[in-house]
């Protein structure tokens, strides 16, 4: 070898004719040891192997095309590090029963039991008899943590490892009703192609969410003026309207009702509803009223003026974390690739969750802008063919105390194996006339959690 590096640094005192080195410290990962062979005919190859239990790494260089000056085709360099000191568990038991599917390298477990066991019910064993084990019970968080401490570094360089048992919280009953949003605007009513309102009349509509992907739409105090003054017909109410997220913070609405009685039953009509709302609070609704073959086309355009009731999912502290990497693309080129990151997703409540990417930052020509956390609430959660799909939107999120304003679009999936793919578009509003898209891609995996059922 002409060079031998550990964690990017040349081995102290390296000499190509010296084959034994005592370095100390934790044994590096295999890809953290790098040897460079001398240029020679036959294309010499370099391989690295490790003996984790002994804390030894060997770097072997082989030239099958010919022998070195000493007549050998192979030379082996031995690097000695500290032997690892085990600070991991070999077993966890609850009320004397070993934890199913326990793995010494998995540190978080989600259990289906509701109640946290009484103190003393959880026991743990380490294969290192000198390791110190402490067990803490937290009934408020429905969790038990087990901490293992040793007097030397384990193979990962740590002397402390913590195992967490998360017990399922009691189910929170869904609220009987969701939020109700009122929109105020203009109503146009068309019969035989003519707008009989003469340019529109003031109106309000209400959308009351049911918490199950449907809502109730109401247009109160609907009236018609056929030349003799307004004739009050009553409320147009369409129940079980399907709400479909558009991926940008808005919804599309479709629904119908057959045989709706108006004017105290003297008019019976079929009603079809189609419409949209957006994240900025704008609503556009088309209501077709079909009465004895006569079409009455009603169009509403308005803006959100009030919101009452349950406005977001009930809070959940059941966060699941995903470790992975970020790639950040801006202006057609990547300003970051394979940047380590962790994202967090709460357990869904009423079909919605919260997504968080903490400590988000971008590098602009060598200047790092620490923007802070990207938090998306009211993320729609949908199970499709074994995958969990996430869709969310935040308008005008503020970063750097309001110096940067951006819309956030979230789309992503997590499969049954815990693999996560998330796309976060940050649409930075640089000025009134210019928006700069920053496309953030996260690829990761659910973090060392055993999901026990």
């Amino acid at each position: 070898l002409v060079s031998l590096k550990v964690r990017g640094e040349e081995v102290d005192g390296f000499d190509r004719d010296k084959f034994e080195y005592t370095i100390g410290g934790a044994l590096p990962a295999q890809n953290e040891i790098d040897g460079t062979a001398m240029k020679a005919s036959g294309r010499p190859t370099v391989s690295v192997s490790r003996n984790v239990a002994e804390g030894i790494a060997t770097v072997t260089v082989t030239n099958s095309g010919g022998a070195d000056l000493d007549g050998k085709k192979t030379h082996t360099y031995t690097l000695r590090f500290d032997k690892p000191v085990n600070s991991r568990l070999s077993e966890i038991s609850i009320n004397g029963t070993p934890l199913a599917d326990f793995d010494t390298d998995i540190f978080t477990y989600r259990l289906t039991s509701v109640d946290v066991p009484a103190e003393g019910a959880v026991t743990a064993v380490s294969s290192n008899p000198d390791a110190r084990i402490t067990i803490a019970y937290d009934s408020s968080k429905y969790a038990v943590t087990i901490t293992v401490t040793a007097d030397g570094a384990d193979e990962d360089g740590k002397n402390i490892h913590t195992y967490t048992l998360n017990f399922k919280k009691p189910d929170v009953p869904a609220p009987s009703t969701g939020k109700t949003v009122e929109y105020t605007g203009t109503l146009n009513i068309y019969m035989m192609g003519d707008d009989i309102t003469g340019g529109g009349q003031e109106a309000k509509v209400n959308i009351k969410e049911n918490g199950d992907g449907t809502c109730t739409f109401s247009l109160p105090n609907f009236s018609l003026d056929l030349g003799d003054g307004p004739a009050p017909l009553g409320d147009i109410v369409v129940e079980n309207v399907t709400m479909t997220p558009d991926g940008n913070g808005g919804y599309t609405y479709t629904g119908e009702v057959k045989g709706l009685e108006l004017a105290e039953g003297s008019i019976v009509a079929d009603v079809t509803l189609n419409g949209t709302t957006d994240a900025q609070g704008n609503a556009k609704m088309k209501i077709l009223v079909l009465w004895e073959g006569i079409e009455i086309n009603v169009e509403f355009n308005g803006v959100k003026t009030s919101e009452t009731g349950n406005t977001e999912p009930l809070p959940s502290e059941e966060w699941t974390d995903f470790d992975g990497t970020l790639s950040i693309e801006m202006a057609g080129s990547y300003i970051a690739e394979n940047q380590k990151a962790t994202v967090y997703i709460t357990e869904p409540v009423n079909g919605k969750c919260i997504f968080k990417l903490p400590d988000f930052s971008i590098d602009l020509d060598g200047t790092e802008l620490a923007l802070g956390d990207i938090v998306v609430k009211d993320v729609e959660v949908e199970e499709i063919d074994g995958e969990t799909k996430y869709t969310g939107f935040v308008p005008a999120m503020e970063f750097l105390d309001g110096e940067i304003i951006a819309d956030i679009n979230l789309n992503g999936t997590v499969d049954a194996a815990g693999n996560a793919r998330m796309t976060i578009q940050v649409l930075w509003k640089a000025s009134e006339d210019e928006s700069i898209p920053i496309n953030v891609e996260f690829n990761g995996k659910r973090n060392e959690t055993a999901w026990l059922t």
Side-chain angles (χ1 to χ4, degrees), residues 94-95 110-117 142 166-170 452-453:
I94 302 173
N95 293 318
R110 191 178 304 279
L111 308 172
T112 57
S113 303
V114 172
D115 298 325
V116 175
Y142 300 86
N166 289 313
F167 294 85
K168 182 182 177 183
K169 295 182 178 181
L452 307 180
T453 58

Side-chain angles (χ1 to χ4, degrees), residues 4-130:
L4 182 56
K5 295 181 178 180
V6 174
R7 299 188 178 99
E9 299 290 335
E10 191 77 23
V11 171
D12 188 31
F14 172 73
D15 186 302
R16 67 182 186 180
D17 295 321
K18 180 181 176 182
F19 299 101
E20 296 274 346
Y21 297 88
T22 299
I23 297 175
L27 179 68
Q30 190 163 321
N31 61 4
E32 294 179 316
I33 302 171
D34 183 33
T36 303
M38 295 180 61
K39 292 183 178 180
S41 60
R43 294 183 180 179
T45 60
V46 178
S47 62
V48 177
S49 62
R50 300 188 310 153
N51 183 329
V52 175
E54 296 298 324
I56 295 174
T58 55
V59 182
T60 302
V61 55
T62 302
N63 187 355
S64 58
D68 206 340
L69 295 177
D70 58 5
K72 298 179 179 179
K73 293 184 178 181
T74 300
H75 290 87
T76 300
Y77 296 80
T78 301
L79 311 180
R80 300 184 184 278
F81 299 86
D82 295 338
K83 290 184 179 181
V85 180
N86 186 2
S87 58
R88 301 172 193 240
L89 294 177
S90 57
E91 182 180 286
I92 297 175
S93 295
I94 302 173
N95 293 318
T97 302
L99 182 63
D101 298 324
F102 172 77
D103 188 310
T104 188
D105 295 323
I106 294 179
F107 300 101
T108 305
Y109 296 83
R110 191 178 304 279
L111 308 172
T112 57
S113 303
V114 172
D115 298 325
V116 175
E119 291 203 21
V122 175
T123 57
V125 178
S126 173
S127 59
N128 177 7
D130 297 323

Side-chain angles (χ1 to χ4, degrees), residues 322-392:
F322 297 80
D323 289 336
T325 58
L326 286 182
S327 296
I328 304 174
E329 182 264 333
M330 186 175 179
S333 61
Y334 283 93
I335 60 175
E337 292 187 89
N338 298 319
Q339 177 179 304
K340 289 185 178 180
T342 300
V343 303
Y344 300 85
I345 302 174
T346 62
E347 290 295 292
V349 176
N350 303 330
K352 295 183 180 181
C353 73
I354 302 172
F355 170 91
K356 179 168 70 174
L357 168 59
D359 304 321
F360 179 62
S361 63
I362 56 175
D363 189 330
L364 297 180
D365 298 326
T367 301
E368 183 176 359
L369 288 180
L371 301 182
D373 297 350
I374 293 179
V375 178
V376 184
K377 297 182 179 181
D378 283 334
V379 177
E380 299 285 342
V381 183
E382 186 178 7
E383 298 286 342
I384 302 176
D385 297 331
E387 277 194 336
T388 305
K389 181 180 178 182
Y390 299 87
T391 307

Side-chain angles (χ1 to χ4, degrees), residues 168-233:
K168 182 182 177 183
K169 295 182 178 181
D171 291 334
V172 178
S176 59
T177 59
K179 65 181 178 182
T180 299
V181 182
E182 180 186 76
Y183 296 86
T184 301
T186 302
L187 204 66
N188 297 88
I189 304 173
Y190 298 89
M191 292 184 68
M192 308 295 290
D194 295 326
D195 182 2
I196 64 174
T197 65
Q201 64 187 38
E202 291 185 0
K204 296 179 184 291
V205 303
N206 296 298
I207 297 176
K208 183 178 182 180
E209 296 185 6
N210 298 324
D212 60 356
T214 67
C215 68
T216 298
F217 171 89
S218 63
L219 168 59
N221 304 319
F222 179 61
S223 63
L224 283 179
D225 188 345
L226 300 178
D228 299 324
L233 302 185

